[in-house]
Amino acid sequence: ADLDENDAGTRIMEIVRHLGRLEPGTPYVATIGKFDGMHLGHRFLIERVKARAAERGAGSAIITFDPPPLLVLRPGEPHMQLTCLSDKIKLIGGLGVDLLLIITFTPQLAAQTPDEFMQHLTRHLRLILLVEGDDFALGKGRAGTPAVLGEIGRRLGYAVETVPRLRASGDEVSSQAIRQRLDGGDVAGAARLLGRAPV
């Protein structure tokens, strides 16, 4: 596993690219997502993960994918990526997270049901709480909504907490909204939703 030190040098984030390299005994509060742009909404979600982990004496984990799912699911179609993996790692590392798990996204992974994905994940990661946006979904056909993941969690030993989508100056904060602003030349609007200048 790689280690990444944030700018303050006070916290080291473990970076794991293979589930088999995880220590199965450590309990984690986690969130799963693409985290493209690492915008204000992503940071709000990650702060919630850190707070819940601190309350439970657990580690905080961010689970993301490489390559970005749309590049695998819709090859050849144009897709504006807001942050490359190295920038994403740097931005997440600066937030004081304990673990960044980067899962290789493949057509085989995309074909997994939510149950299959969560079973595989929890065999290696001791997940006690999954924190997601209320519009989150994963797995084949995006069937893994928070409600479905909560049902699966009752069997696999984790709970699910949802957070509403963040709004900034009345606008919903999302990667899609940021892309639309950049497409329209509204760099200032994109920066407002990102919480920083686009990288």
Side-chain angles (χ1 to χ4, degrees), residues 40-64:
L40 290 172
H42 293 143
R43 281 180 270 163
F44 176 73
L45 190 62
I46 290 169
E47 288 302 321
R48 180 69 62 92
V49 167
K50 287 169 51 187
R52 294 293 184 255
E55 290 167 6
R56 290 161 172 75
S60 55
I62 308 304
I63 302 166
T64 194

Side-chain angles (χ1 to χ4, degrees), residues 7 10 23 44 56 63 67-68 80 108 119 134 166 170 184 192:
D7 293 340
T10 55
E23 292 293 332
F44 176 73
R56 290 161 172 75
I63 302 166
M80 181 193 296
Q108 293 76 23
Q119 281 191 58
D134 55 15
L166 191 68
R192 182 169 46 78

Side-chain angles (χ1 to χ4, degrees), residues 148-160:
V148 169
L149 294 173
E151 290 172 17
I152 296 168
R154 281 192 280 279
R155 191 174 74 255
L156 298 180
Y158 67 85
V160 173

Side-chain angles (χ1 to χ4, degrees), residues 27-188:
Y28 281 100
V29 175
T31 185
I32 303 169
K34 299 183 289 288
F35 300 104
D36 189 23
M38 277 303 298
H39 55 60
L40 290 172
H42 293 143
R43 281 180 270 163
F44 176 73
L45 190 62
I46 290 169
E47 288 302 321
R48 180 69 62 92
V49 167
K50 287 169 51 187
R52 294 293 184 255
E55 290 167 6
R56 290 161 172 75
S60 55
I62 308 304
I63 302 166
T64 194
F65 305 97
D66 183 59
L70 279 180
L71 295 184
V72 175
L73 296 171
R74 299 177 194 164
E77 285 188 22
H79 175 66
M80 181 193 296
Q81 194 176 329
L82 297 173
T83 43
C84 64
L85 182 62
S86 60
D87 285 337
K88 191 187 302 186
I89 290 170
K90 183 186 294 185
L91 291 164
I92 293 172
L95 296 176
V97 171
D98 296 309
L99 171 68
L100 174 61
L101 174 59
I102 303 169
I103 296 176
T104 301
F105 196 87
T106 63
Q108 293 76 23
L109 184 70
Q112 286 186 346
T113 65
D115 198 291
E116 289 168 337
F117 177 82
M118 295 307 297
Q119 281 191 58
H120 182 60
L121 178 66
T122 56
R123 269 198 295 272
H124 300 278
L125 182 80
R126 189 178 157 204
L127 181 64
I128 60 171
L129 178 65
L130 182 65
V131 181
E132 295 296 348
D134 55 15
D135 59 342
F136 177 78
L138 66 72
K140 185 178 181 182
R142 291 180 53 82
T145 61
V148 169
L149 294 173
E151 290 172 17
I152 296 168
R154 281 192 280 279
R155 191 174 74 255
L156 298 180
Y158 67 85
V160 173
E161 177 181 336
T162 59
V163 296
R165 183 172 281 191
L166 191 68
R167 299 185 78 87
S169 302
D171 295 323
E172 272 198 355
V173 179
S174 71
S175 299
Q176 184 59 32
I178 293 165
R179 286 188 202 99
Q180 287 170 351
R181 279 163 177 73
L182 290 173
D183 277 342
D186 182 9
V187 176

